[in-house]
Amino acid sequence: MSSVDRDRFLEEGYLIVKEAVPRDKLELVRTAYEKLVDRQREIWSAERAPDDPPGGQWETARQPRLNLTGSPLVDRLDRETAPAVEVWLEENIRGVSSTLLDEPTAAVTQMMMMCSPVRDHGPAQWHRDLHPIDTAPLQGYIDDIVEAGPRYVQWNIPLYDDSVLWVVPGSHLRFNTPEENAVMGADPCQPVPSGVQTHLEAGDGVVYILPILHWGSNYSTLLRRTVHGGFSTHTGIDDLSFIQHLSQQAADTFEGFVEQSNDMRQHTESALRAVIAGNGRAYTEALDGLHRKRGEKGRILSTVFLCKTALSIRLSKEPPFPEIPEDLDRRIRGAHPITLNWGSEFGDRFTASEAEALWERFAPLDTLLRTAEEQFVPGFQSDPMIYHFNDMPSNYATSDFIASWY
Ligand SMILES: O=C(O)CCC(=O)C(=O)O
Ligand SMILES: [Fe+2]
């Protein structure tokens, strides 16, 4: 494995890794992905809407994106295309991720590929991959990262030279500056002065910490085939039908990822049951099960994530309650395992009355996460909203959440 400067990664929020894909495997990986592009194009063409061009999304999307396991493409994986999956287990990708996460068994969360569009779409918008409405305010992430490092790391691994991505070094640990807000507020599709362009050679990777400000600077027709996804303590993949095509070792590794996720689901359920039972000690023990190395900052971030999980569980029961903004409703219905939202079936673990009791205990925290009036901060994956973008509830610790039950 390449030597990895974790301190620099934590400080700057990103790291370039040379030969993430070993040079002697690059051609094999390109061939596998190109076959998947062809298969995905067939799927998009068949799925196209009546008004779409013959190629469907391939022709209309700003950034056509393959999702290897979260779409019908999973059924089109086979021995020929297995290298597209197995590359995720390379030492310079998974091994490096383990070191950066300080987690011996880092799990692939999602496996995707970003492609160049058929016609020029120009620059996208600067953003953080963060939507606080259904996750947590930026300050919660910052404090958690400073305390014990990131819970999730994300990769771009171009199979052809790629200079599309820009980042703002260090922005994962702070709010936007007034200057950044002014520039992004005026036009989110232009360079910001604090930004740095990455220049990656084919097979190199850039790994970054999620709330970093970044920019897809040019979605032109220049050939782009950039592997994209991330690693965490558990995976978002639950359909393992594809592992039959992998080497035994790779198949075993993916089975391990799913076991890790099942454990995390169990810890999540235990934490929520402890809230229902009003057992503060069991609650903190369950949080320690989710992340043994994290302290109070980790616990309070997870508590905010669980507030959203509790809301999602409550909303899965009849009659749905409470009234929530449409954007929150849409997002909370989809699974988001890296923030402990396990999707709609997870609600089935709780009865309607448990869901109601659970939400009663989280509702005061939900109020603290809200703002008095709708407001907006540029650079998030969010429209104006009635939840805080940046600030966590002030002077509020896990002990205050527990104390609020009595
Ligand atoms: O195109 C890229 O490299 C960045 C993509 C991105 O930021 C996103 O889809 O969230
Ligand atoms: Fe992004």
Side-chain angles (χ1 to χ4, degrees):
M1 187 174 86
S2 294
S3 68
V4 181
D5 191 342
R6 184 170 186 259
D7 289 341
R8 181 169 176 189
F9 174 71
L10 293 176
E11 197 174 308
E12 299 200 333
Y14 76 107
L15 196 66
I16 309 280
V17 178
K18 296 300 287 179
E19 296 206 42
V21 183
R23 291 288 184 266
D24 60 355
K25 290 191 188 165
L26 186 56
E27 214 39 58
L28 182 83
V29 176
R30 281 178 175 167
T31 306
Y33 270 102
E34 215 49 42
K35 290 206 167 91
L36 290 176
V37 169
D38 292 343
R39 292 172 196 179
Q40 181 65 60
R41 286 179 61 180
E42 288 170 19
I43 295 169
W44 279 329
S45 183
E47 281 179 346
R48 72 185 182 276
D51 295 339
D52 278 349
Q57 268 195 50
W58 177 254
E59 288 184 67
T60 55
R62 179 180 73 168
Q63 185 209 74
R65 188 184 281 215
L66 275 53
N67 185 348
L68 270 50
T69 58
S71 76
L73 192 56
V74 71
D75 298 325
R76 309 288 300 271
L77 288 166
D78 54 15
R79 186 57 227 158
E80 240 188 339
T81 50
V85 172
E86 288 168 349
V87 70
W88 280 100
L89 307 181
E90 284 295 337
E91 257 317 287
N92 273 356
I93 302 175
R94 184 180 177 223
V96 167
S97 300
S98 282
T99 303
L100 297 177
L101 288 166
D102 192 19
E103 163 60 45
T105 55
V108 182
T109 56
Q110 272 191 309
M111 298 180 284
M112 300 187 281
M113 190 168 70
M114 307 186 289
C115 301
S116 38
V118 168
R119 66 173 179 83
D120 211 314
H121 284 255
Q125 298 195 348
W126 279 94
H127 64 280
R128 303 170 182 271
D129 282 353
L130 182 55
H131 28 92
I133 198 164
D134 66 313
T135 58
L138 177 55
Q139 186 69 54
Y141 282 81
I142 294 172
D143 294 343
D144 184 53
I145 294 162
V146 169
E147 181 180 79
R151 298 175 183 215
Y152 168 72
V153 294
Q154 190 159 291
W155 286 84
N156 281 13
I157 306 160
L159 302 182
Y160 300 89
D161 297 359
D162 186 344
S163 302
V164 171
L165 184 76
W166 290 50
V167 296
V168 176
S171 58
H172 63 304
L173 294 180
R174 59 164 177 79
F175 298 163
N176 305 337
T177 63
E179 187 188 24
E180 286 160 355
N181 276 335
V183 173
M184 292 189 293
D187 176 6
C189 301
Q190 62 176 329
V192 305
S194 46
V196 169
Q197 186 168 18
T198 63
H199 295 282
L200 301 170
E201 284 179 48
D204 294 349
V206 56
V207 53
Y208 46 100
I209 300 180
L210 185 135
I212 199 167
L213 264 174
H214 61 282
W215 186 36
S217 63
N218 192 7
Y219 291 156
S220 77
T221 57
L222 182 71
L223 180 67
R224 192 173 196 222
R225 296 284 186 264
T226 293
V227 176
H228 180 72
F231 287 83
S232 185
T233 49
H234 52 276
T235 182
I237 300 166
D238 43 24
D239 174 1
L240 282 187
S241 56
F242 64 91
I243 67 170
Q244 58 180 309
H245 310 298
L246 307 183
S247 72
Q248 190 59 51
Q249 196 186 359
D252 293 347
T253 303
F254 274 88
E255 279 187 332
F257 295 165
V258 169
E259 274 169 36
Q260 286 169 229
S261 300
N262 289 339
D263 287 348
M264 291 303 206
R265 279 190 189 83
Q266 195 51 56
H267 291 308
T268 307
E269 181 181 343
S270 301
L272 297 174
R273 292 207 174 281
V275 175
I276 297 167
N279 185 337
R281 194 172 150 173
Y283 182 66
T284 44
E285 275 173 15
L287 293 183
D288 287 346
L290 284 169
H291 37 65
R292 197 146 303 281
K293 282 180 293 219
R294 293 181 192 273
E296 170 54 26
K297 297 301 181 187
R299 286 193 280 274
I300 197 66
L301 178 63
S302 292
T303 299
V304 173
F305 290 159
L306 291 173
C307 182
K308 310 295 180 179
T309 312
L311 177 59
S312 148
I313 293 168
R314 178 63 191 86
L315 287 168
S316 71
K317 309 296 178 191
E318 292 296 331
F321 181 86
E323 281 282 331
I324 54 166
E326 193 262 319
D327 189 22
L328 176 56
D329 190 76
R330 183 176 50 80
R331 287 193 178 273
I332 214 160
R333 283 175 199 283
H336 200 254
I338 58 173
T339 60
L340 310 176
N341 176 352
W342 298 102
S344 48
E345 302 103 83
F346 191 72
D348 298 343
R349 295 183 181 215
F350 298 87
T351 65
S353 62
E354 285 169 343
E356 210 176 311
L358 183 64
W359 179 243
E360 245 168 59
R361 293 217 148 135
F362 274 103
L365 172 55
D366 180 69
T367 304
L368 295 176
L369 292 164
R370 290 182 188 230
T371 48
E373 315 229 320
E374 190 170 80
Q375 29 85 60
F376 179 68
V377 179
F380 287 83
Q381 292 172 318
S382 245
D383 295 328
M385 62 172 185
I386 54 158
Y387 283 87
H388 285 282
F389 283 82
N390 283 330
D391 296 319
M392 288 285 272
S394 60
N395 292 319
Y396 189 85
T398 313
S399 54
D400 297 301
F401 173 57
I402 292 169
S404 75
W405 303 342
Y406 306 106

